[in-house]
Amino acid sequence: MIITPHNNSNLYKTLVEFGYAEYGSALEMLAASKKAQSAKMKLRYRNHALDEYRHSALIFQVLNNELKKNKSFFEKEFKFTPQNVVSKGYVDKNGFLIEKLSLKKFVEFVYSSEFLAKQSFEVLIKRIKNSESLEILNEIAQDEEKHAHGALEQHADFSTSKLNEIMNEEDRHWGFAKIFYNKKFPDSNLNFAFKKEKIKNKMRLFYFKNLIFLNKIFNPIINFFIRIFGYIAMLLKPTSNDDKDLMKMNSTSIL
Amino acid sequence: MFLGISAYFHDSSVALIDSNGDLIDFKKEEYLSRVKGDKSFPRLALTEIIKNHNLSDKNINKICFYEKPLKAWLTILKYSIKNNSLSNELTRNYFKNIWKSSVIFSYDLSKHLKISNDKILYCDHHLSHTLSGAYYNSKLPAVSIVIDGFGDESTSSIHHLTSLQEIKHKWSSPFPNSVGLFYSAITDFLGFSVNEGEYKVMGLAAYGEPIFYQSLSKTIYFKDGKLHLDDNYYDFMRSITRSYSSKLSSLFNINERQSNTPLDLESPDFKAYANIAASAQKIVEEILKEIFLFANKITGENRFIFSGGVAMNSVAINKLSKLDFISKLIVSPSPGDSGAAIGAAYYGFLQFNKNYFEPLKADIPSMLTPGHTSLTDHNEDFFLINYEKIANEDEIIDVASDLIIQNEIIATCYKNIETGPRALGHRSMICNAHSVIAVKQLNEQIKKRSKFRPVAPAILERNAKKYFLLSDKIYDSYFYMGAVVEVVNSKSIEAVVHNDNTSRIQLCREDNILGKILKKLELNNIFVLANTSFNISSDPMVYSKEDAYLGIERMNIKYLLTENGIYTKKLIKS
């Protein structure tokens, strides 16, 4: 779901996407918390949701800092609009993952997406070029070894750096998912699920990267349909309400 | 049973009216999806209402959608094809997004509810608004004024109600001549989110002078029974990303505000933007006066029902209530699109019961928080991992009062949620309004609102006249919609008095939760509570106990009041 910023012009957009992805993840975790039966699981998902809400806010804060430092114009698309989490596809309007997937698939997804998010995040922070970021990068570099193992205890001492803090928590999330999965489904292969999700992610990335090219193909087709249906639409005449008793008008008509 | 649904444009919602005509449930989709302003088909709200009331094809008499889907879609499309072009972004957007529009309502509905086709009705959008207001009106005849951004084919309407079975359409204004879209364009210019930041503009207006009124009134005005809007200044009729044109910036001689820069009393351009807000607010008030006067002339009625998004402009409502030709002004608790679901359900009820001509004797207080309180909603074991209970069910009022006296802030998640956007005590954050420090902490540190935003006072009905100037014409509104009133005695309640010496008052009866707390507090000379909604600005209002739990964590609130007791965070021993 994340577009990694391969050049600086993509950086702001990537931060925005990352911010929405974290918010979407918060909503998913909250839904999972509500669905969970045991108090312990509820608490675990709720804590995960709390982290993701905070990450989202922090990422938009980082975006703001970057814009100010680079004296860039604040585009409207950079503004956090909650409904975009649905329109951008970070939450499916047809159901939360916990409603649609089996517990096994749900944990596989959480593990894979958290791990992929962590990887994308590592790329993302390397693109932020300013002294504060360099400091953050240094701190992250020191923590890299610890992160690789994803052990929970190692992350008790959170860095004061915001981005580093997020990084630690992402590690903790996929770490949780992995521990839970291995305990609950010892015969299944989590790596296979992860690779599947990685391929899907690459395909999404391919789609985004080629959007301009795809538009070149599809726009003439859309234009053709607009022309045809536009003329038909102009011929349709909805019933006028003027001076009518509205309670007596056709109540089953959609026009 | 009669279901009403609003969706696809603003906050989606579902309303349920029973065979007696009583509103027994109302849910916004955002309560459950936790996406603020969620406009998707309300699958979660519908599913929960179906489950809680055991609804099926057998006991549902009618299910009514709040607009005529194809009419609404065609109106903008035809306008755009005619005035823009086939390749214009608005035209293309309308075509490409047909599958996200209300045109697919019956398909979406069929995924969640199997119901006979003859039970599905479609109500005109502005008629849904009219009926949502009429539902809270006790007397006819009356005239209904609907003013919003856009609905079906018009942006404003006048309906004459002689009985509930005879509602005549008397006047309307076509797209794009829209007071609602004008105010949204100004909201956009001032760097606030459209459909959400309008109330910020209203609050900001009190700090400015309407110095742009004359020039702005040339861009939108009501004359000879017509609403005119100069489309050279606005872009919402041709663009999906920009609602105003560069000509509007030139008129104000200032650039649009970038929304990532905080706007506060100390900001360098604060006064300039406040002047724009004040000018836009005055334009809205003057146009509303003209439209109301016109409605009075063409119908002869002086009892008014006001609905649509613009009816949430409580400052304008206060001004309207001062007009001589208005004897009564009824505004429903939820006059916007989400409340239109109530109007749609009412339409279904009236279509099924053709013998209902007179308004129902609606018990308004009980209908402010309709719904189904589920005992299983509250998993106390989960809650008690990190929290401890400091008051049982029967100690809530005493303990809450003691905390308020100590200038503490309490969040409430008490029984059912309120119908409208205003929190009335069931999903509130409250504190002692006589304490400037407590109110400041609530407003700025916990709620993180800008200083120019007013905090609303809640007061017992019998004490209100000591502080506020009340109007009989809009008296009911004081109980549920944060109506604006002039303050006659601001001594000791400065923290809840706005810059223009007004307050967004809420009157409380002694039998509701805030009323009970206020009654107890009187003994300690505390007569007013500061009350704001329990949510973070980018989130919808807290709905379930689990949302409340998350909310107090995120906002760092110490106390949570529910119908089961009062809870506080456990102290961690070092």
Side-chain angles (χ1 to χ4, degrees):
Chain A
M1 302 235 240
I2 305 293
I3 319 162
T4 46
H6 291 293
N7 59 58
N8 280 340
S9 65
N10 263 350
L11 177 64
Y12 303 145
K13 285 181 184 173
T14 307
L15 281 166
V16 170
E17 294 302 321
F18 220 104
Y20 280 116
E22 293 287 318
Y23 197 84
S25 180
L27 297 178
E28 291 288 357
M29 290 305 125
L30 179 58
S33 170
K34 288 177 181 176
K35 197 113 177 164
Q37 294 298 315
S38 80
K40 201 175 157 190
M41 281 311 287
K42 271 183 179 295
L43 190 68
R44 186 163 283 179
Y45 283 128
R46 193 220 53 159
N47 286 343
H48 192 158
L50 272 174
D51 286 344
E52 303 291 39
Y53 272 123
R54 203 165 49 83
H55 294 175
S56 176
L58 288 174
I59 286 165
F60 278 98
Q61 210 175 309
V62 169
L63 169 72
N64 236 346
N65 291 343
E66 289 302 307
L67 287 164
K68 277 181 190 160
K69 271 174 195 153
N70 300 332
K71 294 191 175 143
S72 301
F73 187 75
F74 184 82
E75 304 285 346
K76 274 189 189 140
E77 64 180 297
F78 299 157
K79 187 170 183 166
F80 178 71
T81 309
Q83 291 164 46
N84 286 354
V85 80
V86 180
S87 60
K88 284 175 177 282
Y90 292 111
V91 165
D92 184 356
K93 65 176 182 171
N94 294 315
F96 289 111
L97 294 170
I98 195 76
E99 296 174 86
K100 296 189 300 184
L101 303 177
S102 65
L103 182 62
K104 182 171 175 268
K105 293 271 178 208
F106 177 73
V107 180
E108 280 174 3
F109 183 84
V110 172
Y111 168 81
S112 306
S113 54
E114 289 294 339
F115 197 81
L116 286 168
K118 182 186 113 69
Q119 289 181 337
S120 303
F121 195 74
E122 285 167 346
V123 178
L124 168 71
I125 54 179
K126 281 175 189 163
R127 307 304 306 172
I128 301 173
K129 304 282 184 196
N130 60 54
S131 56
E132 193 184 322
S133 305
L134 282 174
E135 198 183 313
I136 294 164
L137 285 171
N138 284 333
E139 282 184 41
I140 290 169
Q142 285 168 16
D143 281 344
E144 275 303 321
E145 206 178 323
K146 281 192 278 176
H147 292 173
H149 301 292
L152 308 179
E153 300 78 13
Q154 289 165 332
H155 301 293
D157 180 23
F158 286 139
S159 160
T160 48
S161 152
K162 284 168 191 164
L163 291 173
N164 203 37
E165 204 173 303
I166 295 171
M167 186 81 160
N168 278 332
E169 285 170 2
E170 292 300 353
D171 253 1
R172 191 153 52 99
H173 296 157
W174 71 261
F176 266 140
K178 192 175 181 180
I179 291 165
F180 179 79
Y181 187 90
N182 288 336
K183 202 169 146 190
K184 191 97 182 168
F185 312 105
D187 300 331
S188 300
N189 188 347
L190 191 55
N191 276 343
F192 178 70
F194 173 70
K195 277 179 188 152
K196 225 167 67 180
E197 198 54 42
K198 199 171 177 178
I199 291 168
K200 274 193 210 167
N201 213 38
K202 280 197 186 299
M203 281 167 73
R204 283 188 203 110
L205 198 60
F206 175 80
Y207 172 77
F208 278 115
K209 279 180 177 173
N210 294 287
L211 209 54
I212 297 169
F213 173 69
L214 291 172
N215 276 343
K216 275 185 187 163
I217 297 173
F218 288 112
N219 274 351
I221 300 169
I222 292 168
N223 283 344
F224 173 76
F225 281 108
I226 289 176
R227 205 161 280 278
I228 299 288
F229 287 108
Y231 288 119
I232 296 169
M234 292 305 279
L235 296 173
L236 292 169
K237 297 252 182 287
T239 326
S240 164
N241 287 349
D242 287 345
D243 229 27
K244 296 243 171 70
D245 181 351
L246 299 172
M247 296 304 284
K248 308 238 166 11
M249 291 183 79
N250 186 348
S251 57
T252 53
S253 165
I254 59 167
L255 192 60
Chain B
M1 295 285 197
F2 302 88
L3 276 164
I5 295 180
S6 77
Y8 305 104
F9 198 59
H10 285 306
D11 324 42
S12 304
S13 60
V14 183
L16 181 67
I17 286 179
D18 68 9
S19 53
N20 297 317
D22 289 333
L23 177 67
I24 55 169
D25 215 335
F26 175 81
K27 284 188 192 346
K28 283 189 185 185
E29 183 68 0
E30 66 170 23
Y31 295 161
L32 294 138
S33 71
R34 307 309 299 153
V35 177
K36 192 172 189 177
D38 196 341
K39 58 183 181 179
S40 329
F41 179 85
R43 65 171 189 97
L44 293 165
L46 183 64
T47 307
E48 188 157 309
I49 287 183
I50 289 172
K51 188 178 135 206
N52 289 346
H53 300 273
N54 294 318
L55 299 181
S56 68
D57 194 26
K58 283 182 187 163
N59 57 3
I60 295 174
N61 302 98
K62 295 284 176 195
I63 179 161
C64 181
F65 188 60
Y66 84 133
E67 70 176 12
K68 302 269 188 190
L70 195 55
K71 196 178 199 176
W73 185 74
L74 272 178
T75 303
I76 304 272
L77 186 74
K78 286 173 84 169
Y79 173 88
S80 196
I81 290 173
K82 203 173 162 187
N83 294 281
N84 301 318
S85 68
L86 283 171
S87 57
N88 166 272
E89 58 171 322
L90 187 73
T91 317
R92 292 173 61 79
N93 190 57
Y94 254 75
F95 256 108
K96 281 163 81 174
N97 289 326
I98 185 168
W99 306 116
K100 292 180 188 169
S101 77
S102 59
V103 173
I104 59 157
F105 167 74
S106 66
Y107 169 71
D108 274 343
L109 179 67
S110 68
K111 287 194 277 185
H112 304 281
L113 183 64
K114 301 288 168 228
I115 192 154
S116 336
N117 268 341
D118 59 342
K119 289 186 178 180
I120 303 172
L121 306 181
Y122 299 91
C123 180
D124 175 86
H125 182 91
H126 280 185
L127 179 61
S128 295
H129 277 302
T130 285
L131 288 171
S132 73
Y135 190 72
Y136 296 88
N137 170 46
S138 58
K139 216 169 134 189
L140 288 175
V143 57
S144 163
I145 314 271
V146 184
I147 300 181
D148 59 6
F150 166 74
D152 279 8
E153 60 176 352
S154 33
T155 66
S156 316
S157 298
I158 297 174
H159 297 152
H160 191 191
L161 293 84
T162 45
S163 90
L164 286 174
Q165 296 295 344
E166 189 177 334
I167 300 175
K168 280 215 166 136
H169 177 95
K170 301 301 286 182
W171 172 87
S172 62
S173 176
F175 180 83
N177 304 296
S178 167
V179 178
L181 294 176
F182 155 76
Y183 206 69
S184 292
I186 298 293
T187 303
D188 193 17
F189 186 88
L190 292 173
F192 305 122
S193 301
V194 171
N195 294 334
E196 197 198 315
E198 282 77 1
Y199 58 96
K200 292 181 186 171
V201 178
M202 196 170 67
L204 181 61
Y207 290 83
E209 300 297 327
I211 59 169
F212 299 110
Y213 173 72
Q214 289 300 337
S215 44
L216 205 52
S217 65
K218 289 182 183 120
T219 74
I220 182 168
Y221 56 92
F222 187 82
K223 196 180 173 189
D224 303 327
K226 276 188 178 166
L227 183 62
H228 302 267
L229 181 127
D230 186 342
D231 64 5
N232 290 311
Y233 291 86
Y234 305 96
D235 271 347
F236 57 78
M237 66 292 286
R238 61 183 76 91
S239 168
I240 53 168
T241 52
R242 197 176 150 96
S243 53
Y244 52 85
S245 73
S246 50
K247 219 171 161 185
L248 193 74
S249 307
S250 311
L251 190 142
F252 296 139
N253 202 21
I254 187 170
N255 286 331
E256 64 270 42
R257 191 178 77 83
Q258 286 201 44
S259 57
N260 62 333
T261 49
L263 183 66
D264 246 316
L265 304 176
E266 298 80 22
S267 313
D269 290 328
F270 180 80
K271 188 71 184 168
Y273 290 123
N275 288 341
I276 294 170
S279 307
Q281 178 64 27
K282 191 173 176 189
I283 292 279
V284 169
E285 288 165 13
E286 292 303 318
I287 291 177
L288 288 183
K289 279 183 199 171
E290 298 277 351
I291 294 176
F292 273 65
L293 186 61
F294 179 69
N296 170 257
K297 272 186 191 160
I298 60 172
T299 64
E301 302 297 346
N302 49 22
R303 187 180 182 86
F304 286 81
I305 297 166
F306 186 24
S307 58
V310 178
M312 287 194 261
N313 192 315
S314 50
V315 176
I317 288 169
N318 183 41
K319 300 268 169 73
L320 286 169
S321 72
K322 296 185 190 323
L323 298 173
D324 291 339
F325 65 88
I326 295 177
S327 67
K328 194 81 182 170
L329 180 54
I330 294 108
V331 186
S332 79
S334 184
D337 272 7
S338 67
I342 299 171
Y346 198 26
Y347 178 78
F349 174 83
L350 293 169
Q351 288 294 319
F352 189 78
N353 298 290
K354 296 272 187 187
N355 54 338
Y356 274 87
F357 295 95
E358 290 301 312
L360 301 157
K361 298 281 178 237
D363 176 22
I364 292 174
S366 74
M367 275 185 262
L368 295 176
T369 55
H372 183 278
T373 309
S374 167
L375 292 172
T376 55
D377 176 39
H378 187 47
N379 183 330
E380 203 174 43
D381 291 346
F382 158 59
F383 203 60
L384 290 174
I385 295 174
N386 289 335
Y387 284 77
E388 62 180 321
K389 201 172 188 173
I390 57 164
N392 287 320
E393 200 181 330
D394 52 353
E395 299 165 324
I396 289 172
I397 306 301
D398 289 345
V399 174
S401 307
D402 286 345
L403 291 170
I404 297 286
I405 292 165
Q406 293 161 35
N407 287 337
E408 294 287 359
I409 290 159
I410 304 173
T412 71
C413 183
Y414 183 81
K415 296 185 178 172
N416 293 330
I417 195 167
E418 290 91 356
T419 317
R422 173 85 192 258
L424 304 172
H426 284 215
R427 297 295 184 280
S428 291
M429 290 191 285
I430 54 171
C431 72
N432 176 7
H434 301 278
S435 164
V436 175
I437 295 168
V439 175
K440 199 173 172 184
Q441 195 198 350
L442 172 61
N443 195 39
E444 294 171 29
Q445 287 168 27
I446 291 182
K447 196 77 195 260
K448 300 196 189 313
R449 298 163 96 215
S450 310
K451 287 179 195 161
F452 66 83
R453 306 264 312 276
V455 183
I459 187 167
L460 279 173
E461 187 181 5
R462 61 180 145 83
N463 291 330
K465 285 185 180 165
K466 290 179 205 164
Y467 296 94
F468 307 107
L469 187 66
L470 306 178
S471 163
D472 284 342
K473 293 180 186 177
I474 51 170
Y475 197 77
D476 288 346
S477 311
Y478 299 141
F479 290 93
Y480 52 73
M481 76 157 294
V484 169
V485 289
E486 279 83 17
V487 179
V488 288
N489 176 17
S490 63
K491 199 181 166 192
S492 87
I493 57 161
E494 295 91 346
V496 287
V497 177
H498 200 38
N499 194 48
D500 54 0
N501 198 43
T502 63
S503 280
R504 274 70 172 155
I505 195 183
Q506 179 202 341
L507 296 190
C508 303
R509 296 203 170 102
E510 288 178 28
D511 59 353
N512 67 28
I513 183 70
L514 290 192
K516 286 176 188 170
I517 295 172
L518 279 162
K519 200 177 162 194
K520 182 86 184 168
L521 286 169
E522 272 183 323
L523 305 169
N524 290 78
N525 290 325
I526 294 174
F527 301 99
V528 189
L529 286 171
N531 175 14
T532 184
S533 55
F534 183 10
N535 68 318
I536 289 175
S537 66
S538 57
D539 278 9
M541 207 119 69
V542 155
Y543 177 66
S544 68
K545 297 290 182 293
E546 294 188 37
D547 302 328
Y549 189 11
L550 198 79
I552 53 174
E553 288 276 331
R554 290 174 71 196
M555 298 166 92
N556 205 14
I557 301 171
K558 265 163 85 178
Y559 300 100
L560 176 68
L561 182 157
T562 77
E563 63 272 26
N564 305 302
I566 298 180
Y567 303 83
T568 191
K569 201 162 190 171
K570 279 179 188 167
L571 288 173
I572 299 163
K573 287 171 191 163
S574 55

